[in-house]
Amino acid sequence: MARKLALKRLTASDLTVFRWHFTNRPAGNQKAINLDRSVLVDSLFPELAKPGAVPNPRYNLELKISGPGACAPHTLVRKILKQQKNWRLNGEFIDGPIDDPQRYNYLAADDFAFFEFRGDQVPEAIHMLLVSAADPQDAQLHQALSQIFVTGSMRVIDEHFIHDVLERSGVAGRHALSDWAEGALLEEIGLGSAAATLKLYARHNRRGLTPEEFLEIRGRAQSTGISGELYLNDWLLDLQREGECSDVEWTSSSNAIAPYDFRLRTSPHGVERRIDAKSTTGEFETALHMSRAEIIEAVRGGVCYDIYRLYRLSEEGAEMRAAYDVGPVLASVLEALEDLPPGISVDSVSIDPRILQFTSDIHYPRNSELDDDK
């Protein structure tokens, strides 16, 4: 569910992965970037810590390098491997691309590299964005990073960190790193939002999305939806144990095309309600998406239909609000969908959650906290 993001301060020995630095600024014999175990293994890929049949495993992957500055992505095939106790991004020397052979020559120790790792159990691809003090387009961002990242070599970060450093440096919306801060926008694209797609497409000096990136984003959006349902299922079961409801059923876990996710009965009269979970890693105001089947069920299903909005969803938990019995509000939406010209139909819609009457925030604790309370 969560994006696997990290920031590294580059050392002179890291830079020798680039052929020019190895030849002209030798700092040892390695041609690799060291990856801190505390970040790569302990935080991002715990599976790598498990004993395996291969004592020194290696994982071939796609490495996409953006930057320094406004340089377009440069895609290579490299590997992550374990050498003795050290994990490294390794492989052949990296040369500047044919159309920009000096691209990496101006990097220096104490420049920075942002990493986004893809893969569930093991790393399968990496996007690395380089930030150089010598590049005019990176200068403000580099200065802000130097003030924030005073000690240490590598750390796990999240989108909030990226938002903060972009705002502090004054380059939000003008630097390629801005694209990394918009997980919610990409999530909407993965869910099929036309508005989000057009917003990204209309930007100047943006590279768009490769087919592989789009599939990754769509898969991440689906994973966010499943994770939200998992959280909500635990919360509802906790309410059931406290006697506030009964017969909790996670319907979509066994019927993926059901027009709702959960069904339960409320206490004390056993009134049936149906629930749809709408989850996002972004803020509450992020558009939620409803299929036509869900809207029909909400309006004509004959049972109260509630929407639970889980937002700021992460490994640590989520915030949650509920909108009860949304059918009457959505009746006019369904009427509009059915009043289209013959042969035209709309399969889903994007809805501003602020048009629905949501409750105030409910803190949803981590699973570990639920377990501790029992």
Side-chain angles (χ1 to χ4, degrees):
M1 178 194 65
R3 297 172 69 188
K4 295 179 170 68
L5 302 173
L7 174 65
K8 178 174 175 61
R9 185 196 306 275
L10 297 170
T11 65
S13 60
D14 290 325
L15 293 175
T16 55
V17 73
F18 301 103
R19 187 188 302 274
W20 186 90
H21 288 270
F22 187 88
T23 302
N24 296 281
R25 296 177 181 172
N29 293 320
Q30 77 175 37
K31 56 178 190 297
I33 296 177
N34 291 316
L35 301 173
D36 289 14
R37 178 188 173 90
S38 62
V39 172
L40 181 70
V41 180
D42 298 345
S43 296
L44 302 181
F45 296 101
E47 286 290 320
L48 297 181
K50 296 181 179 179
V54 180
N56 294 311
R58 60 190 61 209
Y59 303 94
N60 293 323
L61 46 76
E62 177 187 87
L63 171 64
K64 180 166 53 184
I65 307 173
S66 296
C71 293
H74 177 204
T75 303
L76 308 163
V77 175
R78 291 298 183 268
K79 63 176 73 73
I80 282 180
L81 55 81
K82 184 180 181 183
Q83 296 177 318
Q84 288 83 43
K85 296 182 179 181
N86 301 313
W87 289 89
R88 291 181 171 130
L89 174 60
N90 207 323
E92 301 174 8
F93 284 118
I94 297 176
D95 293 303
I98 294 175
D99 58 349
D100 189 8
Q102 297 182 1
R103 173 171 174 169
Y104 305 118
N105 296 7
Y106 305 103
L107 291 168
D110 293 326
D111 281 342
F112 295 94
F114 286 88
F115 290 90
E116 179 166 13
F117 296 88
R118 286 170 43 196
D120 294 326
Q121 305 299 319
V122 299
E124 298 173 0
I126 296 175
H127 186 183
M128 179 171 68
L129 187 150
L130 298 168
V131 178
S132 168
D135 191 293
Q137 296 195 41
D138 285 346
Q140 290 175 258
L141 180 61
H142 191 284
Q143 183 179 10
L145 288 169
S146 299
Q147 293 170 350
I148 296 172
F149 195 0
V150 178
T151 60
S153 60
M154 191 172 183
R155 64 166 68 172
V156 175
I157 60 172
D158 57 21
E159 287 182 16
H160 295 296
F161 177 92
I162 295 174
H163 276 289
D164 289 344
V165 74
L166 285 170
E167 291 300 322
R168 179 179 293 205
S169 62
V171 298
R174 297 189 288 112
H175 193 278
L177 183 63
S178 298
D179 288 345
W180 291 46
E182 296 192 326
L185 180 69
L186 297 177
E187 181 180 273
E188 288 189 74
I189 291 172
L191 292 171
S193 168
T197 301
L198 290 172
K199 182 177 180 180
L200 184 67
Y201 184 77
R203 287 181 175 167
H204 299 293
N205 301 321
R206 290 292 187 264
R207 57 184 177 80
L209 298 172
T210 65
E212 294 78 14
E213 287 174 322
F214 177 74
L215 290 174
E216 171 73 14
I217 288 166
R218 187 164 64 181
R220 190 185 301 151
Q222 293 170 343
S223 178
T224 296
I226 293 171
S227 296
E229 290 181 27
L230 281 166
Y231 277 129
L232 183 54
N233 182 63
D234 285 348
W235 188 78
L236 293 173
L237 290 177
D238 200 44
L239 290 185
Q240 180 174 259
R241 282 187 284 269
E242 294 172 359
E244 295 187 30
C245 62
S246 62
D247 300 332
V248 173
E249 174 191 275
W250 185 0
T251 309
S252 62
S253 67
S254 58
N255 182 5
I257 64 171
Y260 53 88
D261 295 321
F262 296 90
R263 183 170 58 185
L264 55 78
R265 294 187 181 277
T266 57
S267 300
H269 304 297
V271 176
E272 182 177 345
R273 305 189 77 93
R274 292 172 185 173
I275 296 173
D276 199 24
K278 298 299 182 185
S279 306
T280 179
T281 57
E283 298 300 314
F284 170 78
E285 295 80 10
T286 303
L288 58 86
H289 303 273
M290 290 193 75
S291 69
R292 182 171 180 159
E294 291 169 344
I295 295 172
I296 292 173
E297 181 68 25
V299 175
R300 298 176 180 160
V303 175
C304 287
Y305 193 101
D306 306 329
I307 292 179
Y308 278 65
R309 177 57 152 172
L310 294 98
Y311 60 101
R312 298 178 186 168
L313 184 64
S314 70
E315 299 291 350
E316 299 302 313
E319 298 300 319
M320 185 168 67
R321 302 184 192 183
Y324 300 112
D325 194 17
V326 298
V329 177
L330 296 176
S332 60
V333 177
L334 181 58
E335 182 179 348
L337 294 178
E338 294 179 336
D339 194 31
L340 297 172
I344 304 296
S345 64
V346 174
D347 296 323
S348 63
V349 298
S350 299
I351 298 175
D352 186 334
R354 290 169 291 192
I355 73 170
L356 303 173
Q357 293 184 336
F358 277 92
T359 62
S360 58
D361 286 1
I362 304 170
H363 172 65
Y364 183 81
R366 291 176 292 175
N367 290 342
S368 59
E369 293 176 3
L370 289 174
D371 294 339
D372 292 342
D373 291 340
K374 294 177 176 56

